[in-house]
Amino acid sequence: MREALTPITFSLDFVIGGRHAPWFLALEKGYYREAGLNVTITPGQGSAGVIQRLASGDAQFAFADFAGVLLARSQGTHVRETAVIYAKAPYTIFTLRSSGIDTLKALEGKRLITNAGSATPSIFAVVARLNGIDLSRIEWNNVDPNTKTQLLVNGQADATEYFLMQRPILERAAADRGGINTILLADYGLQLYSNGITTTDDYIARNPDLVRGFVAASLKGFERAFEAPEEAIEAVLKHAP
């Protein structure tokens, strides 16, 4: 008789987008099932929140930000990245091209928006200090993550933070406003890994083979997504139309 599948909750870092397609492709292709796992993928609202879900046992794995993991560990939460997915930090500040704000220095005196749980404002503060930016002249406001694009396009904020992969969506949304500017923090001296497959030290200790299986199945999903992007698109749209 076939062994029962182990139920796993995997929390994404943010609301579902195209960059999450490989996870859903791994689900659709049966890679998790082959590893003996019954995986449920859920959206998130920032790495801080998904790390809390790991710590509480509400999720067994998360797609968490490396900076968030470091911060959590420094505060006594024993989480760990088991595989890095984003090797170059994708933290980005976007502005409307019509604003003329296209450098880190030009953000002084401006209103920036983020969402609760995002690690980007903390990362931004480090990069800003490295580049002589006056942080006292920069205002951050928390908003619903689903409203960030519209608030920028409507001129209700001077800039918004997203990962770089959000650019095509922003370009389309801001097409009538002349497009967008991209301020990539990695271009200003930030050398840091970003998101990866994250779990707790305790879960790794208790389930080493399961963790290896989840990581291998997930990476297989990424490999397949690179080979067959149309399949990946279909997989994510099936779960998040």
Side-chain angles (χ1 to χ4, degrees):
M1 186 175 68
R2 186 172 182 175
E3 292 185 10
L5 300 176
T6 301
I8 293 293
T9 296
F10 172 59
S11 178
L12 298 174
D13 57 325
F14 201 56
V15 293
I16 298 170
R19 65 187 176 89
H20 299 123
W23 309 103
F24 292 98
L25 186 57
L27 187 66
E28 286 299 303
K29 298 294 286 186
Y31 300 154
Y32 293 126
R33 183 171 291 274
E34 291 169 4
L37 307 174
N38 179 17
V39 175
T40 300
I41 303 174
T42 62
Q45 291 194 357
S47 286
V50 300
I51 288 172
Q52 289 175 2
R53 293 189 68 188
L54 290 177
S56 69
D58 187 42
Q60 288 72 49
F61 293 92
F63 188 41
D65 179 79
F66 189 71
V69 170
L70 290 179
L71 181 60
R73 288 192 72 87
S74 74
Q75 297 172 344
T77 302
H78 296 167
V79 288
R80 182 183 301 273
E81 280 199 7
T82 60
V84 173
I85 302 298
Y86 298 157
K88 181 177 181 179
Y91 312 102
T92 304
I93 307 298
F94 291 102
T95 67
L96 292 177
R97 190 166 295 146
S98 58
S99 71
I101 304 169
D102 57 3
T103 66
L104 210 59
K105 185 68 174 177
L107 291 168
E108 289 183 343
K110 302 300 187 292
R111 295 166 298 129
L112 282 65
I113 53 176
T114 183
N115 56 276
S118 172
T120 299
S122 297
I123 296 295
F124 178 87
V126 174
V127 176
R129 284 193 289 269
L130 287 173
N131 288 272
I133 306 302
D134 185 355
L135 285 168
S136 69
R137 297 189 58 210
I138 294 175
E139 176 186 343
W140 282 100
N141 292 293
N142 281 336
V143 300
D144 185 304
N146 292 297
T147 67
K148 288 161 65 176
T149 296
Q150 204 58 45
L151 290 172
L152 176 67
V153 172
N154 289 344
Q156 294 171 266
D158 296 308
T160 186
E161 61 86 6
Y162 273 117
F163 278 177
L164 180 62
M165 301 74 121
Q166 194 77 5
R167 179 170 181 162
I169 295 172
L170 286 164
E171 284 282 15
R172 184 167 64 246
D176 293 340
R177 300 292 303 275
I180 59 167
N181 290 324
T182 302
I183 304 172
L184 181 64
L185 299 189
D187 292 338
Y188 288 85
L190 177 63
Q191 298 182 30
L192 186 70
Y193 291 138
S194 185
N195 285 43
I197 301 171
T198 307
T199 186
T200 66
D201 290 355
D202 180 63
Y203 197 79
I204 294 170
R206 289 187 291 107
N207 306 281
D209 291 338
L210 187 155
V211 172
R212 292 188 189 97
F214 181 84
V215 169
S218 299
L219 297 183
K220 191 174 178 181
F222 273 84
E223 291 173 353
R224 182 59 187 169
F226 297 146
E227 295 168 355
E230 292 297 331
E231 282 187 17
I233 292 169
E234 291 174 4
V236 72
L237 286 177
K238 176 179 176 180
H239 291 268

